[in-house]
Amino acid sequence: MEVIDQIQSVPDLESALCSVLAVDLPEPKKGVLLELYVQTVLFCRQQGFSKEQTSALVSIIKSIHEANIETPLNNSEHCYKYCNDLLLCHSVRRPPFSVKLFSLEEANCVLNYIQDHYLQHNKLYKYIFTPQVKLDLFLTYSGKGGEGLAADESAAQADDSSEAQKTSAMEEETAEGKMTFTVYYKLMKICETKSYQVFLVSSANILVHSE
């Protein structure tokens, strides 16, 4: 980090961080990750942090990012707790478990920065860096379950066929009724013009007598 502290231009800083942190990712992942590291270094410069503090904060950001993208599921609470643990390990002098690099005020400032610049956008980073998972659900029936399903399908088809036959029979009866009425009507007209008497015995027998 001593060399990085001397770099002023952003493109050179990105190149140096890419080499130091071994960022070997395709675009746009590479650009997004380098932008995160560059903004962290610029924040450290604004706060006047030492190179040890800068190195520790970049490492903390890197660790939180890796914890966030290790799963496509929501783990924001875990990342937040992990961030607090890492800051605590760098804010309390307790060798060999922790070292005091940040004061209480600096630790709160760093926590606010991480919340505003990473944890608040953790779902966006997760979407970019984690593979998309697609679920294809197939149902296979076997044994009695499959036989029961086949029987239900056969019964449904039989019901449909029976309904179709009933509908066809009703249509035929309706057509026959219309035809019979038409025959009766025409005979009545003939009888009116030629003085016939018509006796309708049934729908199948028609008797016509002359006066």
Side-chain angles (χ1 to χ4, degrees):
M1 286 295 176
E2 184 175 358
V3 177
I4 293 177
D5 288 339
Q6 300 174 359
I7 300 175
Q8 298 299 325
S9 65
V10 173
D12 294 339
L13 186 58
E14 288 182 352
S15 178
L17 287 171
C18 182
S19 177
V20 171
L21 299 175
V23 179
D24 186 15
L25 295 172
E27 294 292 348
K29 296 181 180 180
K30 181 178 180 180
V32 173
L33 191 57
L34 287 178
E35 180 67 18
L36 174 65
Y37 293 152
V38 167
Q39 292 301 320
T40 302
V41 172
L42 295 179
F43 168 77
C44 293
R45 290 180 180 179
Q46 292 175 357
Q47 299 299 320
F49 289 169
S50 64
K51 60 179 180 293
E52 290 82 7
Q53 291 175 318
T54 301
S55 176
L57 182 54
V58 172
S59 298
I60 290 173
I61 290 289
K62 184 174 183 292
S63 299
I64 296 173
H65 174 69
E66 291 175 349
N68 180 40
I69 65 173
E70 68 182 3
T71 173
L73 304 178
N74 184 16
N75 61 343
S76 56
E77 294 183 0
H78 168 71
C79 291
Y80 181 77
K81 183 178 182 302
Y82 186 46
C83 174
N84 289 333
D85 293 342
L86 291 176
L87 281 177
L88 184 63
C89 289
H90 293 84
S91 303
V92 178
R93 180 176 176 80
R94 190 188 172 202
F97 304 103
S98 61
V99 59
K100 187 174 182 180
L101 289 178
F102 301 103
S103 64
L104 180 59
E105 293 78 10
E106 292 172 338
N108 288 329
C109 183
V110 168
L111 180 59
N112 291 332
Y113 171 80
I114 296 176
Q115 284 180 333
D116 295 338
H117 291 79
Y118 188 85
L119 294 179
Q120 188 176 356
H121 310 288
N122 67 324
K123 291 184 179 179
L124 179 61
Y125 284 101
K126 188 185 294 291
Y127 176 79
I128 296 174
F129 288 92
T130 56
Q132 300 299 313
V133 178
K134 295 182 179 180
L135 177 62
D136 293 330
L137 183 61
F138 294 94
L139 299 179
T140 302
Y141 296 92
S142 60
K144 294 183 178 179
E147 295 176 356
L149 180 63
D152 293 340
E153 291 179 352
S154 299
Q157 292 177 357
D159 292 340
D160 294 340
S161 177
S162 177
E163 290 294 334
Q165 292 177 357
K166 290 180 180 179
T167 303
S168 178
M170 291 177 62
E171 291 177 352
E172 291 178 356
E173 291 177 359
T174 302
E176 182 179 355
K178 290 182 179 179
M179 185 180 299
T180 303
F181 177 78
T182 302
V183 173
Y184 291 166
Y185 180 77
K186 289 182 178 180
L187 287 175
M188 290 294 294
K189 289 297 182 181
I190 294 172
C191 292
E192 288 178 0
T193 57
K194 295 186 178 182
S195 300
Y196 285 104
Q197 291 181 352
V198 179
F199 303 94
L200 305 181
V201 179
S202 65
S203 60
N205 299 318
I206 302 177
L207 301 180
V208 181
H209 297 278
S210 176
E211 288 182 349

